[in-house]
């Protein structure tokens, strides 16, 4: 029995690829897929209000279990009525399990069958998280979608270690699912296996047997070459059910998103658009723009004439450069609005192309147009 009010309705599959268009129904509203989900690590998309995120066309947004368990603590969020009320966002939300942060941020990790003991990256306090503990935190946070607790291995990793890690991740997934009681919250399993085809297949098939509400492909975008990442997605997605959402975690670059869509992946998230915006880097219809460059000092044209975001409709490159050079928060806010809207608008175009059976042509058009967006 799946989560109440949560299911994926596939409306159309592109005739020339695996790209699919559908509606994801959640307790906090319906959203179209494929979609890009802005990241609000600490119950906020950095520098933006929930209203601004909505105005960019966002549906689902993310929050982070690890960080919120440290500050302000899941009990505070629960007392506020859950994440939606705490941060005043009325759309669907997703929380990751904190597994990636435990393995990437925390010091002195010790992994046992029971869970992971580690030190807080904030103050060195000794902490412990298990599959059950992760689920307890996520249930208190109250997002529409929760993620299973898994081990996120570094790249590269030996076959032997990855095999043992996959087995542990599967045992943890089973324990987490058995512990999960919240009926209005979907729970996703996470497919691990690194670059090894047989391990990806095995992990996917075993998770499907557990019957999760959706499935994500984890362990990508952690330093592996792009061709390896593309293979990881292909190795996993073919073994996932057609009637459940598929989520590629931590992906925000244009080529990776478009490749994933062509394989039938529905959901994407990444801190990339807001992070690079805060450093003056923008995705535009004419390629990458570095607003710090002196040539924009007297450029009184919009950042992107083809963009319909608040930033592009109201401000010039000269003003945006001025704000950036002066380290004004308003500048970071405007640039973040643009980058988020850019990716969401790209997804809107992808959905329309899928409905018209021309996704591969759309993908080629986008990649040709943004050929100089290396790193995006």
């Amino acid at each position: 029995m799946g989560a109440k009010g949560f299911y994926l309705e596939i409306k159309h599959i592109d005739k020339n690829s695996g790209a699919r268009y559908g509606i994801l129904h959640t307790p906090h509203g319906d959203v179209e897929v494929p979609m890009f989900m802005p990241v609000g690590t600490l119950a906020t998309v950095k520098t933006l209000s929930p209203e601004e995120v909505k105005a960019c066309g966002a549906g689902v947004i993310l929050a982070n279990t690890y960080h919120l368990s440290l500050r302000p603590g899941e009990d505070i969020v629960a007392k506020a009525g859950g994440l939606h009320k705490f941060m005043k966002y009325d759309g669907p939300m997703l929380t990751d399990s904190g597994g990636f942060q435990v393995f990437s941020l925390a010091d002195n990790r010790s992994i046992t069958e029971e869970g992971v003991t580690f030190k807080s990256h904030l103050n060195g306090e000794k902490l412990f998280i298990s599959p059950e503990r992760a689920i307890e935190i996520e249930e208190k946070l109250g997002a529409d979608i929760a993620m299973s607790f898994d081990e996120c291995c570094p790249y590269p990793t030996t076959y032997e270690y990855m095999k043992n890690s996959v087995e542990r991740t599967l045992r943890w997934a089973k324990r987490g699912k058995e512990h999960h009681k919240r009926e209005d919250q979907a729970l996703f399993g996470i497919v691990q296996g690194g670059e090894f085809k047989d391990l990806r297949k095995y992990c996917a098939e075993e998770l499907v047997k557990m019957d999760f509400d959706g499935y994500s492909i984890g362990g990508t975008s952690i330093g592996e070459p792009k061709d390896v990442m593309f293979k990881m997605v292909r190795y996993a997605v073919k073994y996932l059910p057609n009637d459940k959402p598929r989520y590629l975690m931590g992906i925000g670059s244009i080529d990776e998103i478009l490749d994933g869509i062509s394989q039938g992946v529905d959901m994407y998230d990444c801190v990339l658009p807001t992070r690079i915006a805060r450093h003056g880097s923008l995705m535009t219809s004419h390629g990458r723009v570095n607003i710090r460059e002196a040539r924009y000092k007297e450029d009184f044209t919009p950042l992107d004439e083809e963009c319909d975001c608040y930033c592009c409709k109201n401000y010039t490159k000269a003003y945006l450069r001025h704000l950036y050079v002066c380290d004004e928060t308003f500048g970071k806010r405007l640039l973040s609005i643009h980058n988020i809207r850019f990716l969401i608008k790209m997804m809107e175009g992808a959905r329309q192309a899928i409905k018209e059976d021309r996704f591969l042509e759309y993908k080629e058009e986008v990649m040709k147009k943004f050929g100089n967006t290396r790193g995006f």
Side-chain angles (χ1 to χ4, degrees):
M1 188 74 175
K4 287 183 180 178
F6 184 92
Y7 66 98
L8 176 64
E9 181 184 5
I10 298 296
K11 293 285 194 178
H12 187 77
I13 298 177
D14 179 77
K15 291 179 180 177
N16 303 302
S17 71
R20 53 201 216 157
Y21 166 75
I23 307 293
L24 183 63
H25 301 272
T26 83
H28 284 88
D30 300 340
V31 288
E32 295 178 290
V33 297
M35 66 175 165
F36 178 79
M37 305 178 288
V39 177
T41 301
L42 288 162
T44 177
V45 178
K46 283 191 185 300
T47 74
L48 304 187
S49 71
E51 292 79 11
E52 287 169 326
V53 177
K54 273 272 188 171
C56 289
V60 180
I61 64 172
L62 271 69
N64 184 269
T65 297
Y66 168 82
H67 289 287
L68 290 173
S69 70
L70 298 179
R71 296 181 299 184
E74 67 274 12
D75 289 331
I76 297 287
V77 176
K79 286 179 181 177
L83 271 174
H84 297 88
K85 291 185 178 178
F86 185 58
M87 64 179 289
K88 201 176 176 291
Y89 187 74
D90 61 1
M93 295 195 68
L94 181 153
T95 46
D96 59 17
S97 68
F100 177 78
Q101 285 70 33
V102 168
F103 291 100
S104 63
L105 292 179
D107 294 325
N108 302 317
R109 295 180 301 276
S110 174
I111 307 170
T112 66
E113 185 63 27
E114 189 58 30
V116 185
T117 302
F118 59 98
K119 288 185 178 181
S120 164
H121 75 290
L122 294 176
N123 56 18
E125 179 186 1
K126 187 176 181 180
L127 302 168
F128 174 77
I129 190 165
S130 65
E132 293 84 1
R133 171 69 179 137
I135 291 297
E136 288 170 6
I137 298 170
E138 291 191 89
E139 288 191 325
K140 287 183 177 180
L141 295 175
D144 301 81
I145 304 170
M147 305 303 297
S148 299
F149 186 68
D150 63 328
E151 180 181 1
C152 185
C153 296
Y155 178 87
T157 299
T158 65
Y159 181 89
E160 182 180 7
Y161 186 92
M162 184 60 74
K163 185 176 186 299
N164 291 331
S165 175
V166 164
E167 294 283 8
R168 183 186 298 118
T169 284
L170 289 170
R171 292 191 295 270
W172 283 358
K174 185 174 185 293
R175 283 166 50 188
K177 190 171 190 298
E178 290 172 349
H179 198 73
H180 186 254
K181 306 301 181 188
R182 186 159 183 162
E183 294 183 352
D184 63 344
Q185 183 181 65
L187 180 63
F188 282 26
I190 303 177
V191 181
Q192 292 288 356
E195 61 184 308
F196 305 105
K197 186 175 183 178
D198 61 328
L199 296 182
R200 287 281 178 182
K201 177 178 184 289
Y202 172 68
C203 191
E205 290 179 335
E206 292 302 309
L207 287 172
V208 171
K209 290 177 185 177
M210 298 181 203
D211 193 26
F212 283 91
D213 297 302
Y215 300 89
S216 65
I217 301 167
T220 66
S221 197
I222 53 172
E224 76 281 358
K226 281 185 183 285
D227 63 323
V228 173
M229 197 217 82
F230 293 152
K231 289 178 183 177
M232 289 179 180
V233 176
R234 286 170 171 75
Y235 292 162
V237 75
K238 66 176 72 173
Y239 303 106
L240 299 178
N242 291 322
D243 62 342
K244 299 285 182 75
R246 303 163 179 168
Y247 166 27
L248 184 52
M249 306 178 75
I251 297 300
S253 68
I254 293 167
D255 56 342
E256 292 170 348
I257 289 175
L258 293 174
D259 185 80
I261 293 174
S262 71
Q263 303 304 313
V265 178
D266 309 301
M267 304 163 61
Y268 304 82
D269 83 282
C270 196
V271 298
L272 182 137
T274 50
R275 177 175 288 169
I276 64 173
R278 295 194 301 275
H279 291 88
S281 293
L282 292 311
M283 305 172 181
T284 78
S285 62
H286 41 84
R288 182 172 184 160
V289 167
N290 184 342
I291 205 66
R292 295 169 290 182
E293 294 179 6
R295 60 177 164 152
Y296 300 120
K297 191 173 184 178
E298 296 184 26
D299 188 336
F300 303 109
T301 63
L303 176 60
D304 188 345
E305 296 84 354
E306 295 183 25
C307 183
D308 58 2
C309 78
Y310 174 77
C311 172
C312 292
K313 287 194 296 186
N314 291 281
Y315 300 100
T316 66
K317 295 188 191 79
Y319 183 60
L320 294 171
R321 181 184 183 276
H322 161 69
L323 294 177
Y324 183 85
V325 169
C326 295
D327 198 28
E328 283 291 335
T329 302
F330 185 46
K332 297 175 182 178
R333 182 171 155 193
L334 289 172
L335 299 179
S336 295
I337 285 172
H338 168 76
N339 273 355
I340 288 176
R341 176 58 190 155
F342 178 89
L343 280 182
I344 290 175
K345 189 176 181 183
M346 185 184 80
M347 301 303 266
E348 291 170 355
R351 294 196 293 264
Q352 187 61 37
I354 293 169
K355 288 187 277 187
E356 297 172 0
D357 294 314
R358 57 174 185 86
F359 176 73
L360 292 181
E361 291 90 335
Y362 177 78
K363 177 185 175 185
E364 187 177 344
E365 289 168 11
V366 172
M367 289 308 300
K368 185 177 180 180
K369 203 170 189 179
F370 306 113
N372 68 333
T373 54
R374 186 172 297 232
F376 291 170

